[in-house]
Amino acid sequence: MEIKIVKTTTPGEMPAEEKLGFGKVFTDHMFIMDYEAGKGWYDARIVPFGRISLHPASTVLHYGAEIFEGLKAYRRADGGVQLFRPMENVKRMNRSAERMSLPEIDEKDLLEILTTFVKMEEKWVPKSFGTSLYLRPFLFGNDETLGVHAVHRATFMLIASPSGSYYAEGINPVGIMIESEDVRTVRGGTGYAKCGGNYAASTRAGERAAKKGYSQVLWLDGVERKYVEEVGAMNVMFKIDGEIVTPKLTGSILPGITRKSCIEVLQSLGYTVSERLLSVDELVDAMESGRLEEAWGCGTAAVVSPIGRLAYGDKEYVINDGKIGEITQKLYDVLTGIQWGKTDDPFGWVYTL
Ligand SMILES: *Cc1c(COP(=O)(O)O)cnc(C)c1O
């Protein structure tokens, strides 16, 4: 594909790596391309990073037609730069687009956009282990009318933000609250799509949990509020009485690439992973009888995040003495080893630029 490039005349400076945080600093450039029904995607361009202008009636501002992805560019121990399973993000982005009636993008083009952009912004890929250049592709409906109808105009963009190590202060298990009032999505809804609306609807529960001292909520299914689904922006896994369990993908759960990778790593190590329905009663029973050995969230941002405390109603349970479990630590070591190019990649997951 043809990508027009306009370079910035005022390149920025990378902040000190230990001060990066998440999503606050952006690179020098951004990628944009436009879509019109009948014409397809056109005018692919990389331009200096900056504000964009939208018509006040733009679809995204009124009807929430927006999807996004999140992946990282990692600095290898040998100095090179690599992505982790980028084709999985490309495919998921198109599945999200299909759900939201937004136009899909050719898989090869989307991969080329990611690699071209990261190569251009290479100096923004930080060097220390645990840091990365976070990539945020997003796509939104951009018709200039309040009429509610299928999207005729859309915009795709890619921005990037150098991000600090999630575990700068060590891997500390988090406290999670089981949410029994709000639901995130329902089967038939948009749960499996990575769309902004899912986040807008889940903020209230997150805020309530934060007020009580918990970092995220554990969602239950939207129909019966009985089955465990996922944690905030992460999928969730448990080890109960020796069995590794993760909620099966029913349509309301986001199919995480870290989730998929954890399952594949565990299988390669000889463990069986049950993807099945897990009721909150079964989980509470396991906690009360001391059979819940480990619990962890998994997602691109944190890789794995051990859960040390889990609250349900007015009870709080401590898991594995509030310490990271053996399986959680193993997953962290294997995945980060591959992602930061410290170890071999027997799975063929790494995409070196
Ligand atoms: C992105 C996301 C995840 C994790 O997916 P990864 O591909 O592993 O980063 C889990 N749940 C939700 C709701 C998400 O948006």
Side-chain angles (χ1 to χ4, degrees):
M1 71 184 301
E2 202 196 308
I3 302 176
K4 199 178 101 194
I5 293 176
V6 181
K7 283 206 171 151
T8 182
T9 50
T10 52
E13 289 256 326
M14 177 84 132
E17 295 194 0
E18 60 286 0
K19 295 214 176 98
L20 280 172
F22 177 74
K24 290 182 296 201
V25 177
F26 294 90
T27 64
D28 289 325
H29 301 94
M30 59 189 185
F31 176 92
I32 314 185
M33 71 179 174
D34 300 306
Y35 171 90
E36 256 179 58
K39 187 169 174 185
W41 289 103
Y42 65 96
D43 203 8
R45 57 207 189 268
I46 292 174
V47 296
F49 185 90
R51 292 197 157 70
I52 56 169
S53 134
L54 289 177
H55 190 282
S58 177
T59 324
V60 64
L61 300 177
H62 301 269
Y63 307 125
E66 191 265 356
I67 58 163
F68 65 95
E69 269 302 326
L71 69 162
K72 291 170 170 176
Y74 305 84
R75 181 75 66 182
R76 295 173 52 86
D78 65 12
V81 171
Q82 65 188 24
L83 304 176
F84 181 74
R85 312 187 83 173
M87 232 19 210
E88 295 288 332
N89 295 92
V90 163
K91 292 195 162 108
R92 187 170 66 190
M93 176 119 185
N94 279 334
R95 288 199 303 270
S96 301
E98 195 278 332
R99 177 63 186 87
M100 304 301 282
S101 283
L102 286 166
E104 295 176 36
I105 300 175
D106 179 84
E107 289 180 0
K108 280 209 299 299
D109 287 351
L110 201 39
L111 190 62
E112 190 181 329
I113 292 165
L114 288 168
T115 54
T116 307
F117 187 73
V118 173
K119 277 185 195 151
M120 185 155 163
E121 302 295 68
E122 215 222 271
K123 74 163 200 201
W124 291 97
V125 183
K127 298 189 171 60
S128 349
F129 175 68
T131 65
S132 60
L133 179 63
Y134 183 80
L135 306 174
R136 169 53 61 86
F138 58 110
L139 198 173
F140 54 92
N142 198 6
D143 280 280
E144 300 182 344
T145 164
L146 295 176
V148 179
H149 52 61
V151 163
H152 301 301
R153 277 166 51 108
T155 301
F156 170 81
M157 297 185 66
L158 169 60
I159 56 176
S161 171
S163 296
S165 172
Y166 199 89
Y167 292 116
E169 274 133 52
I171 308 185
N172 293 317
V174 293
I176 302 285
M177 190 182 99
I178 299 178
E179 172 62 40
S180 31
E181 199 175 317
D182 288 1
V183 296
R184 195 183 79 97
T185 57
V186 291
R187 267 162 273 162
T190 55
Y192 70 87
K194 223 170 162 68
C195 68
N198 289 345
Y199 279 76
S202 56
T203 306
R204 184 172 77 170
E207 298 274 295
R208 281 198 299 240
K211 274 202 192 108
K212 292 187 178 160
Y214 296 97
S215 60
Q216 292 194 38
V217 300
L218 175 62
W219 296 107
L220 301 180
D221 78 277
V223 180
E224 297 175 78
R225 292 181 213 185
K226 179 172 172 191
Y227 298 106
V228 170
E229 299 228 304
E230 58 179 307
V231 173
M234 288 189 285
N235 294 110
V236 67
M237 299 190 171
F238 303 92
K239 184 162 173 255
I240 304 173
D241 229 357
E243 181 198 13
I244 300 173
V245 188
T246 191
K248 71 170 182 181
L249 302 175
T250 50
S252 48
I253 296 174
L254 196 288
I257 296 158
T258 319
R259 174 188 182 277
K260 184 175 180 176
S261 305
C262 283
I263 294 173
E264 289 168 29
V265 166
L266 288 168
Q267 285 169 340
S268 80
L269 295 171
Y271 294 98
T272 8
V273 181
S274 315
E275 295 181 68
R276 63 171 174 89
L277 293 176
L278 172 66
S279 73
V280 67
D281 293 340
E282 182 184 347
L283 186 61
V284 167
D285 189 50
M287 291 193 286
E288 296 207 319
S289 58
R291 287 175 303 116
L292 178 62
E293 297 164 53
E294 288 185 47
W296 64 94
C298 48
T300 297
V303 191
V304 290
S305 177
I307 301 172
R309 295 179 297 133
L310 194 57
Y312 188 49
D314 46 20
K315 274 198 160 170
E316 185 188 88
Y317 303 89
V318 173
I319 303 163
N320 194 38
D321 291 329
K323 294 199 291 278
I324 183 169
E326 197 186 321
I327 304 272
T328 315
Q329 182 73 54
K330 182 84 203 162
L331 284 170
Y332 178 81
D333 293 341
V334 172
L335 288 174
T336 56
I338 296 173
Q339 288 168 335
W340 274 271
K342 298 206 297 182
T343 57
D344 287 345
D345 168 25
F347 303 96
W349 286 340
V350 149
Y351 189 93
T352 308
L353 297 186

